[in-house]
Amino acid sequence: MRWSWGHLVLGVLLGVACGVMLALLLEAKRSALKPPGPQLHLKSKSSLYPEIPLVPLAPDALDIPMERLSKQHLTPDMAVVKYPYSYPFLINHPDKCQGETAPFLLMLVMTQPQDSETREAIRTTWGNEAIVPGVTILRLFVLGLFPSHLHRHHQDLLEKEDAENQDLLQVGFLDTYSNLTLKTLMGLEWVVHHCQTAQYVLKVDGDTFLNPRFLVHQVLQPERPPRPTFITGYIYKNRMPMRKPHYKWYMPREVFPGTIYPPYCAGAGYVMSGCLAMKILAVAQKIKAIYLEDVFVGLCLQRLRVKPTPSPLDIFQFFGREYERCDFNQLAIVHPIKPVDLLSIWMDFEKANTTCPQS
Ligand SMILES: *[C@@H]1O[C@H](CO)[C@@H](O)[C@H](O)[C@H]1NC(C)=O
Ligand SMILES: *[C@@H]1O[C@H](CO)[C@@H](O)[C@H](O)[C@H]1NC(C)=O
């Protein structure tokens, strides 16, 4: 059964939450029409925000043959993900978001259960919740299940890791590349159920470098009124589905018959308003969920008639980039980065806020 009372209640909750946000926004707009009071001080880079052109199309170097990544070919039925479905939360922190101040930014970090080293590196670097003074940030790692042969012993370790850090969200589905869409959707379900007050939600992969100061102050800007339909990242436009089964991002025609994907933010890291996160989840209940998580979010946006907001050129670096302190200081996300490199980069990067020119 695709629809249930749960979904109905979810829909109603969503409507109320977004209604409140919209009311706030309208109020903010109305006050913006009043005679000019003291001007908000916007930094030069951020005031250019809406006019900056889209990131150019990625090169076809992206069509990495599957052989380099895995021997397994995807079959059409694997391209469809079982959703909606009530996957259980096996490790959860329902009260995480109930602190005194509503979170400005909720980080949903995607790792696999076995990636405990990656998580530890992230906790001590960009995932540190206190990293941006005066801004409430929450961090949660979203993960699924170990393959069954690893399950018992590893699951015990995972629960111990969570007891120490209180930051895991484990959901009851097999944690595979093809199930990545489920991870994001379950992260968004957590937002709807436990954290509707989050102003922004970041979905980010574990193998990244994130610059939270830049993301918060230059991209999101706490002094701005809420933006109910905001989502940004590295935006792909006019990308065509790959029809050859041996390519990594193979998309069977029977699953997505169109010739061009709607615009979408590359999956390694994108950030959206909490309100939009809830709307995406609501339409996700009605569209056939596909394994390409970022494309799927793009399909949800299309259904919502929301276009991703272009970001300043190059602040999302998703084809790797050599580390340089003051260069990284002006970027939001770099992908991919190995956890061991992250640790050494961070030791140096900590000096960036005091030694690099500030934007
Ligand atoms: C996704 O998770 C479900 C539920 O655990 C599992 O049955 C399915 O095999 C997984 N899909 C893939 C492609 O791994
Ligand atoms: C610079 O960043 C470091 C590490 O992120 C932090 O401990 C320090 O307080 C920051 N200094 C200033 C002046 O913001």
Side-chain angles (χ1 to χ4, degrees):
M1 191 178 75
R2 288 179 69 83
W3 280 92
S4 67
W5 284 107
H7 289 129
L8 190 65
V9 171
L10 195 80
V12 171
L13 282 175
L14 269 172
V16 171
C18 290
V20 170
M21 297 278 275
L22 271 173
L24 283 173
L25 185 84
L26 287 176
E27 178 51 37
K29 270 204 176 137
R30 199 172 327 143
S31 36
L33 289 175
K34 286 180 191 153
Q39 289 286 310
L40 267 188
H41 176 71
L42 291 181
K43 298 188 175 120
S44 55
K45 187 154 192 167
S46 28
S47 56
L48 288 176
Y49 209 83
E51 289 91 41
I52 292 185
L54 279 177
V55 176
L57 253 190
D60 271 324
L62 257 185
D63 300 15
I64 312 160
M66 192 81 170
E67 286 80 20
R68 275 181 49 197
L69 300 132
S70 146
K71 291 273 173 248
Q72 201 187 17
H73 283 199
L74 200 88
T75 59
D77 57 312
M78 285 166 78
V80 179
V81 178
K82 192 172 173 187
Y83 192 84
Y85 184 82
S86 44
Y87 298 98
F89 283 90
L90 304 171
I91 302 179
N92 196 357
H93 298 278
D95 298 330
K96 174 108 185 163
C97 193
Q98 310 304 317
E100 255 166 57
T101 39
F104 179 70
L105 178 64
L106 170 68
M107 295 177 173
L108 296 176
V109 189
M110 306 293 142
T111 59
Q112 292 196 290
Q114 59 272 27
D115 295 336
S116 54
E117 274 175 51
T118 306
R119 287 189 291 273
E120 201 43 41
I122 291 171
R123 286 183 190 110
T124 57
T125 58
W126 55 259
N128 172 358
E129 293 178 337
I131 196 96
V132 185
V135 175
T136 307
I137 296 180
L138 296 180
R139 169 197 71 233
L140 278 171
F141 293 102
V142 188
L143 35 98
L145 299 172
F146 285 104
S148 54
H149 65 282
L150 287 177
H151 197 72
R152 195 60 263 161
H153 172 65
H154 288 74
Q155 185 65 20
D156 290 346
L157 291 179
L158 198 67
E159 282 166 21
K160 210 164 143 235
E161 180 186 332
D162 184 63
E164 278 164 27
N165 299 288
Q166 303 283 313
D167 62 356
L168 302 186
L169 216 54
Q170 190 187 30
V171 192
F173 57 80
L174 202 56
D175 198 316
T176 59
Y177 179 73
S178 309
N179 269 341
L180 193 58
T181 301
L182 289 180
K183 252 193 223 186
T184 297
L185 290 174
M186 295 313 288
L188 299 187
E189 286 202 9
W190 192 87
V191 174
V192 169
H193 288 299
H194 306 296
C195 202
Q196 295 203 358
T197 53
Q199 199 162 341
Y200 290 100
V201 178
L202 169 74
K203 181 264 157 170
V204 66
D205 287 347
D207 54 344
T208 51
F209 165 91
L210 173 79
N211 181 350
R213 230 179 5 238
F214 188 92
L215 182 71
V216 165
H217 288 301
Q218 306 298 317
V219 180
L220 303 178
Q221 306 171 357
E223 64 278 13
R224 282 181 82 129
R227 288 172 278 181
T229 57
F230 177 82
I231 180 166
T232 195
Y234 183 99
I235 301 165
Y236 284 126
K237 291 186 92 179
N238 302 320
R239 285 194 66 83
M240 293 178 356
M242 291 169 196
R243 301 301 192 189
K244 295 192 184 134
H246 60 288
Y247 284 134
K248 188 185 178 194
W249 291 298
Y250 167 56
M251 178 51 65
R253 220 174 281 276
E254 53 267 52
V255 176
F256 179 85
T259 51
I260 290 188
Y261 291 136
Y264 64 96
C265 298
Y270 52 89
V271 62
M272 64 206 124
S273 62
C275 192
L276 182 60
M278 294 189 271
K279 289 180 186 163
I280 290 173
L281 185 69
V283 293
Q285 318 292 314
K286 305 180 213 165
I287 305 178
K288 184 159 65 178
I290 57 172
Y291 85 108
L292 295 176
E293 171 257 346
D294 46 9
V295 173
F296 179 63
V297 171
L299 293 172
C300 293
L301 292 176
Q302 183 186 44
R303 180 70 75 97
L304 289 166
R305 298 175 199 282
V306 168
K307 289 210 174 82
T309 303
S311 269
L313 209 54
D314 292 344
I315 64 168
F316 296 91
Q317 288 288 332
F318 287 176
F319 302 97
R321 191 168 179 98
E322 198 169 338
Y323 175 70
E324 201 278 311
R325 189 196 298 166
C326 294
D327 175 48
F328 270 41
N329 195 40
Q330 299 295 323
L331 302 175
I333 300 181
V334 180
H335 174 92
I337 299 273
K338 295 197 200 97
V340 6
D341 294 337
L342 175 62
L343 288 173
S344 60
I345 285 176
W346 201 264
M347 294 230 291
D348 183 80
F349 185 72
E350 280 182 314
K351 302 177 204 132
N353 58 350
T354 48
T355 59
C356 295
Q358 295 302 301
S359 53

